[in-house]
Amino acid sequence: MRKNRVDIITLGCSKNLVDSELLMHHFITVGYQVFHDPERVCGEIVVINTCGFIGDAKEESIETILRMVEAKKQGAIGQLYVMGCLSERYREELKKEIPEVDAYYGKFDWKNLVGNLTKAFLVDASGLRKITTPQHYAYVKISEGCDRACSYCAIPLITGKHKSRSIDNIIKEVTSLTDSGVKEIQLIAQDLTYYGKDLYKRAALADLLRELCTIDRLEWIRLHYAYPTQFPLDILPVMAAEDKICNYLDIALQHASDNMLKIMRRGISRKETEALLSRIRQEVPGIHIRTTMMVGHPGETESDFEELLDFVAAQRFERMGAFAYSHEDDTYSWKHYKDDIPLKIKKDRLSKLMKLQEGITFDNAQQKVGQQQKVIIDREDAEYYIGRTEFDSPDVDPEVLISKQGDLSIPLDIGQFYKADIVDTIGFDLVAEIRNKT
């Protein structure tokens, strides 16, 4: 155990990562050494930032807590604290079941954790963070919470109502990030497309995007977690006109069957979804759409699932993930439906859906061979420089591999942009060559 060291373990989504980075900054300001590596935990203080979205995430959080409890018993770490979504929702239950944790904090009172531990007065840091991503990109959370009423989702129960940050506050944070070397920001929220309605009484994402595009050193802006119902169409001409906004949109659709969309309380039909997707593709030519689908929600028939397969086959999404329904406490579905679809059927449907999407993703990768793409270099290993195009978000999307061997190989700089010729594919990843650094 190392004195004056704090280890932060982050579980779950990028929104949690932002919270951990803010927490890390506060610990640093009061004199602690702070680390963010779950494989090398040995601090005087350990903080686990938990996820509580679905069953698998909750299980991972519990397993991580128990592992750190054992490390504490062995003397490998000192004090153990838990924060985040899981403890926001199940704090009292966790106290009873795992009393070895020194204290539990929720998702929004993490500043008290630093104050209680150090007795230091924390000044407003205005969003200053210890960036844990590569220095050239960062996640920026523009709102918290969600006002939607999806039947299956526990997020509103954890985070509460949608609360937007002001445009000025976001611009201040992004400017600070770009001053420190960040060139790409991933705009994130539980529901990007609701942004501004609480604060400005109107959808204001288009206004925010226009302001962000005026920041000189910012080169890429990527949009994560849009919602299809009441989609703010005024962002589309902004996306089309502004080179800094990546031709990329992460919009979770969840299903395509009208029956399931109604049961899931999505507030949209298949026909309306198809019209929206057509409009997006028409107004933003070349856009890559990432979506998420769910299988196995109560009420999903074989016919509903076949309709989902037909929809995915027809839309040919450039990027798609999927997950099986999890029966979450106190959600609408938990109260009104029985989780009556067997796990085997859920898994079979998930496997069939992802196999279909894998073929589509592979075909989309093949179509890029022969093109030239702007690529940012994220990292390197022994054989390759590894980067991304504007169509690829970190950690979830395919990458671009540039060999360090051969006549065309030249030294590349991490965090720099290059024009890359796509020459091949390896699975879903692109293989590229860079002939010069201009």
Side-chain angles (χ1 to χ4, degrees):
M1 181 176 64
R2 292 176 58 180
K3 295 290 185 181
N4 203 43
R5 168 173 171 149
V6 179
D7 286 288
I8 311 291
I9 301 172
T10 303
L11 305 172
C13 67
S14 52
K15 296 186 291 295
N16 267 12
L17 180 63
V18 171
D19 293 339
S20 290
E21 291 176 343
L22 290 164
L23 177 64
M24 292 171 71
H25 174 80
H26 281 296
F27 270 115
I28 290 169
T29 60
V30 293
Y32 281 88
Q33 292 182 305
V34 183
F35 296 84
H36 192 259
D37 184 350
E39 302 303 319
R40 296 178 176 85
V41 177
C42 59
E44 177 185 6
I45 296 170
V46 175
V47 181
I48 305 172
N49 189 357
T50 58
C51 179
F53 177 45
I54 59 175
D56 288 347
K58 289 189 287 189
E59 184 177 334
E60 181 187 19
S61 293
I62 294 295
E63 289 175 352
T64 303
I65 295 170
L66 293 176
R67 189 170 71 250
M68 289 299 106
V69 164
E70 186 60 31
K72 182 182 176 184
K73 290 178 180 178
Q74 299 297 325
I77 66 173
Q79 302 169 71
L80 176 61
Y81 298 89
V82 172
M83 60 177 278
C85 293
L86 188 72
S87 54
E88 177 73 28
R89 195 168 181 213
Y90 299 106
R91 190 179 322 200
E92 295 307 313
E93 293 91 333
L94 288 168
K95 286 180 181 179
K96 293 176 183 177
E97 296 296 326
I98 315 178
E100 296 88 348
V101 172
D102 290 282
Y104 290 92
Y105 293 83
K107 182 171 176 60
F108 301 109
D109 61 350
W110 53 264
K111 286 185 181 180
N112 293 331
L113 192 159
V114 185
N116 292 343
L117 282 177
T118 65
K119 308 304 179 186
F121 175 73
L122 294 179
V123 298
D124 179 14
S126 299
L128 294 178
R129 293 144 53 190
K130 170 65 176 176
I131 299 300
T132 59
T133 53
Q135 191 60 43
H136 53 278
Y137 72 81
Y139 295 94
V140 174
K141 184 160 48 173
I142 68 170
S143 66
E144 194 67 79
C146 183
D147 281 4
R148 310 291 185 174
C150 301
S151 64
Y152 51 85
C153 188
I155 294 297
L157 301 174
I158 298 170
T159 63
K161 290 287 189 178
H162 182 102
K163 186 177 181 181
S164 302
R165 295 172 60 195
S166 71
I167 290 177
D168 287 346
N169 186 266
I170 296 168
I171 295 301
K172 184 177 181 179
E173 179 184 359
V174 174
T175 300
S176 175
L177 289 169
T178 57
D179 287 346
S180 68
V182 170
K183 300 175 181 178
E184 173 188 3
I185 60 168
Q186 324 288 335
L187 285 190
I188 56 172
Q190 189 61 36
D191 181 2
L192 276 184
T193 43
Y194 201 89
Y195 175 77
K197 290 186 178 181
D198 57 322
L199 195 59
Y200 304 111
K201 310 309 176 187
R202 59 181 174 80
L205 183 58
D207 298 331
L208 174 62
L209 292 175
R210 278 189 285 263
E211 289 294 324
L212 287 170
C213 288
T214 66
I215 299 175
D216 288 339
R217 286 183 287 271
L218 183 59
E219 294 201 41
W220 274 359
I221 302 166
R222 192 182 308 279
L223 305 183
H224 279 283
Y225 319 130
Y227 196 94
T229 306
Q230 299 173 327
F231 184 90
L233 295 170
D234 62 340
I235 74 169
L236 299 179
V238 182
M239 294 181 71
E242 296 286 357
D243 290 339
K244 290 187 177 186
I245 304 176
C246 296
N247 275 10
Y248 182 103
L249 181 66
D250 191 333
I251 178 169
L253 298 177
Q254 306 300 4
H255 218 283
S257 155
D258 283 344
N259 176 51
M260 289 312 303
L261 290 170
K262 183 177 180 179
I263 289 175
M264 295 163 76
R265 306 176 83 197
R266 295 289 289 172
I268 197 169
S269 67
R270 174 172 179 169
K271 184 177 180 180
E272 290 167 335
T273 301
E274 290 170 336
L276 174 62
L277 293 171
S278 177
R279 178 83 175 264
I280 292 170
R281 293 194 184 279
Q282 180 181 1
E283 292 203 30
V284 190
I287 192 169
H288 281 42
I289 294 177
R290 163 169 277 282
T291 193
T292 307
M293 297 297 181
M294 180 193 296
V295 298
H297 187 286
E300 185 185 54
T301 66
E302 194 62 36
S303 176
D304 291 323
F305 177 65
E306 290 298 326
E307 187 171 349
L308 175 59
L309 291 176
D310 291 342
F311 176 77
V312 170
Q315 289 295 327
R316 299 188 65 79
F317 294 106
E318 288 80 9
R319 314 281 183 249
M320 193 193 84
F323 63 102
Y325 170 77
S326 175
H327 209 46
E328 295 302 311
D329 299 348
D330 299 321
T331 60
Y332 184 91
S333 293
W334 184 84
K335 293 176 181 178
H336 293 87
Y337 303 118
K338 183 180 179 181
D339 186 17
D340 55 359
I341 297 180
L343 181 60
K344 183 180 185 305
I345 292 179
K346 290 180 183 179
K347 289 183 175 180
D348 287 346
R349 289 178 181 175
L350 182 61
S351 177
K352 190 173 183 179
L353 178 61
M354 288 312 300
K355 185 176 181 180
L356 168 63
Q357 180 60 35
E358 285 170 5
I360 295 169
T361 304
F362 181 79
D363 289 345
N364 285 332
Q366 291 289 314
Q367 291 173 17
K368 288 186 170 63
V369 175
Q371 297 179 3
Q372 187 175 78
Q373 298 283 349
K374 182 179 179 180
V375 171
I376 191 168
I377 305 300
D378 281 340
R379 65 188 190 281
E380 62 179 307
D381 61 20
E383 296 182 68
Y384 296 101
Y385 293 103
I386 302 162
R388 290 174 292 109
T389 71
E390 67 173 304
F391 309 119
D392 306 305
S393 188
D395 299 326
V396 296
D397 291 329
E399 296 177 310
V400 180
L401 308 178
I402 299 129
S403 177
K404 291 182 174 181
Q405 312 300 321
D407 296 336
L408 296 176
S409 64
I410 56 174
L412 302 180
D413 298 318
I414 306 301
Q416 296 299 316
F417 290 93
Y418 299 94
K419 290 182 180 179
D421 296 311
I422 310 302
V423 297
D424 202 352
T425 63
I426 298 177
F428 305 131
D429 294 328
L430 304 177
V431 178
E433 295 175 350
I434 295 175
R435 290 174 169 79
N436 56 64
K437 287 194 173 187
T438 59

